[in-house]
Amino acid sequence: MDGPKKRLQWHPVMYAGIQVELEEEAGQLLFENEYQLGTKPLAIDILIIKKGDSISVKKNIGQIFRRYNIIEYKCPGDYLSVDDFYKVYAYACLYKCKAGGAEQVKASEMTITFVCHGYPRKLAGHLMEHRGCDIICKEDGIWQIVGDEFVMQLVITSQLSKEKNPWLFYLNNPVKDSQTAEALIRNYERKKKNSLYASVMDFIVRVNEETFKEAKEMCKALEELMADELEAKRIEGREEGKAEGKAEGKAEGKAENVLELLQECGKIPVELRKRILGERNLEVLVRWLKIAARAASIEEFQRAM
C-alpha cells in the first residue's frame, strides 16, 4: 500500500522558474523570494463594524459608514501622503479577503476614512488627476472622495466644527483661551462618569496645561470632577514605577553577570560593554549569559550574540 502523498512545494520551484524564464535579463533584475513587507504586523488603526445593516449613524463623521469601516489616523504634525493612501487602500483589500472569504465582505459594504490635521493637497491632486476621483466638501472638515469602488472620506481635524465636533477638534487643536477651557470643563461635567470622556479630557488638559491653569476656578472644579480618575492614575503610575524599578534592577544584575564572565576572556571593547549594560530585555540577557559561560574568547561571544 502506498504511503501518504508528499505535498508538492510549488512556490520555491516557481521562484526558480520565473528566473529561468527571465534568464536573458537576469543581470538587470533583482529577485527576492517571499519578500517581507514589514517588520511589524499589518494593523488597521481603527475598525468599526455595524452590528446590523439597518443601523444608520447620525453623527457627521459617520454618516458615510456602511457595514465595515476602516479609519486611518494621522496625528497633528504627521502628513497624509500618497503612499499612506495606497497603504490603507491595501489594508482594506486585505481585510476584504481575510474577513471570511467567499465574498462574505463586499467592497460595497466598506468605507475608508482618513483623519488628518491639515488638508492633504498633494494626495487630493493625485486622486483627482490619476484616479479620476472628485473631492466634495460635505461640511466643515468633512470631504467625500467620490469615484472609487470604496466609499471614502477625508476628516480634516483643523477644519471641523467646534460646535458639532468639540472633542475631536480640541483633541487635535490647541485650546487657545481660558473661556474655551471653561466651556470644555462644563461640557465634561455632564459626561464625567464616562471613562472615554475622562481619557480624552485628561489628554486635552495635559497638552494645554498653561491655558487650563489660567482658568483657576474652573481648574479647581476640574480637579474635583476628575478626582477619582486622577487618583486611580496616580496609583497606577506608582505600581508601574515599582514594577519598572524591579525589572530595571534585574536587568542591571544580569548585565553585570555577563560582563563578569566575559572579563575572564580578555579586555571587553567599550562599545560591547555599552551594549550589554544598555540591554533591558531579560530574555536577551539570560541568553547572553549562557553564551558568555561557554565562550572561549570575546570574539566568539560577539559572533554568537
Side-chain angles (χ1 to χ4, degrees):
M1 188 175 183
D2 293 335
K5 285 187 177 179
K6 186 176 180 180
R7 183 179 175 83
L8 296 174
Q9 299 297 317
W10 290 92
H11 284 269
V13 75
M14 181 60 183
Y15 180 60
I18 286 288
Q19 292 176 79
V20 167
E21 289 290 336
L22 298 170
E23 183 182 10
E24 291 184 11
E25 293 83 14
Q28 303 174 57
L29 304 172
L30 176 65
F31 297 88
E32 294 196 36
N33 192 24
E34 296 186 350
Y35 177 79
Q36 298 298 313
L37 288 172
T39 56
K40 296 195 302 182
L42 302 179
I44 293 169
D45 281 350
I46 302 171
L47 176 66
I48 301 173
I49 302 174
K50 285 186 182 181
K51 294 181 179 180
D53 292 327
S54 60
I55 296 170
S56 60
V57 178
K58 295 179 181 178
K59 190 70 176 184
N60 55 0
I61 63 169
Q63 287 178 0
I64 73 159
F65 282 2
R66 299 197 176 176
R67 189 65 184 272
Y68 307 96
N69 307 281
I70 291 170
I71 297 177
E72 170 75 3
Y73 172 64
K74 290 290 182 183
C75 62
D78 284 349
Y79 182 74
L80 181 65
S81 68
V82 173
D83 283 343
D84 289 326
F85 168 83
Y86 282 104
K87 177 193 73 174
V88 180
Y89 199 94
Y91 286 177
C93 294
L94 286 171
Y95 180 78
K96 181 190 180 306
C97 298
K98 288 180 173 290
E103 278 286 292
Q104 287 192 22
V105 175
K106 296 180 173 61
S108 58
E109 297 177 315
M110 299 178 67
T111 72
I112 304 174
T113 296
F114 299 92
V115 182
C116 55
H117 187 255
Y119 186 79
R121 296 188 180 280
K122 189 172 181 180
L123 172 59
H126 176 85
L127 293 175
M128 290 185 284
E129 183 178 349
H130 296 284
R131 295 182 68 91
C133 296
D134 290 324
I135 301 179
I136 302 167
C137 183
K138 304 300 288 184
E139 61 174 275
D140 290 346
I142 300 176
W143 300 74
Q144 193 160 353
I145 302 169
V146 181
D148 192 274
E149 187 174 10
F150 288 127
V151 174
M152 297 184 287
Q153 68 176 354
L154 295 166
V155 174
I156 312 302
T157 55
S158 62
Q159 300 176 358
L160 284 172
S161 165
K162 300 174 187 176
E163 290 72 35
K164 291 183 179 180
N165 308 98
W167 298 105
L168 199 54
F169 180 87
Y170 287 111
L171 190 61
N172 293 275
N173 294 280
V175 178
K176 294 182 178 179
D177 53 69
S178 57
Q179 290 80 11
T180 302
E182 291 174 5
L184 281 169
I185 293 168
R186 292 193 190 96
N187 196 344
Y188 173 71
E189 187 173 9
R190 298 192 295 270
K191 305 287 187 178
K192 63 179 183 178
K193 293 183 179 179
N194 187 316
S195 61
L196 297 175
Y197 278 85
S199 177
V200 173
M201 187 66 187
D202 179 65
F203 189 88
I204 292 172
V205 172
R206 287 171 185 267
V207 174
N208 301 277
E209 190 173 354
E210 292 302 317
T211 305
F212 278 88
K213 280 182 180 178
E214 292 174 12
K216 291 181 180 177
E217 293 304 316
M218 293 307 297
C219 269
K220 289 179 181 177
L222 178 63
E223 286 179 6
E224 292 174 6
L225 286 171
M226 300 186 72
D228 293 340
E229 291 88 345
L230 292 172
E231 181 59 26
K233 285 181 181 292
R234 279 194 286 269
I235 293 171
E236 183 182 345
R238 285 199 296 269
E239 294 302 318
E240 287 179 357
K242 289 178 183 178
E244 287 176 4
K246 289 179 181 178
E248 186 84 5
K250 286 183 180 179
E252 287 179 2
K254 292 291 183 191
E256 291 292 346
N257 291 340
V258 173
L259 291 174
E260 286 174 11
L261 288 173
L262 284 180
Q263 282 172 351
E264 298 176 6
C265 297
K267 187 177 179 180
I268 303 171
V270 174
E271 289 303 317
L272 178 59
R273 180 181 291 274
K274 286 182 180 178
R275 182 181 174 188
I276 293 169
L277 289 174
E279 181 60 56
R280 288 297 174 264
N281 187 316
L282 282 172
E283 290 184 6
V284 172
L285 287 165
V286 169
R287 181 167 59 82
W288 287 355
L289 192 59
K290 292 176 181 178
I291 295 170
R294 294 193 300 267
S297 66
I298 299 292
E299 291 74 18
E300 183 181 333
F301 174 81
Q302 288 179 299
R303 287 195 298 271
M305 285 174 78

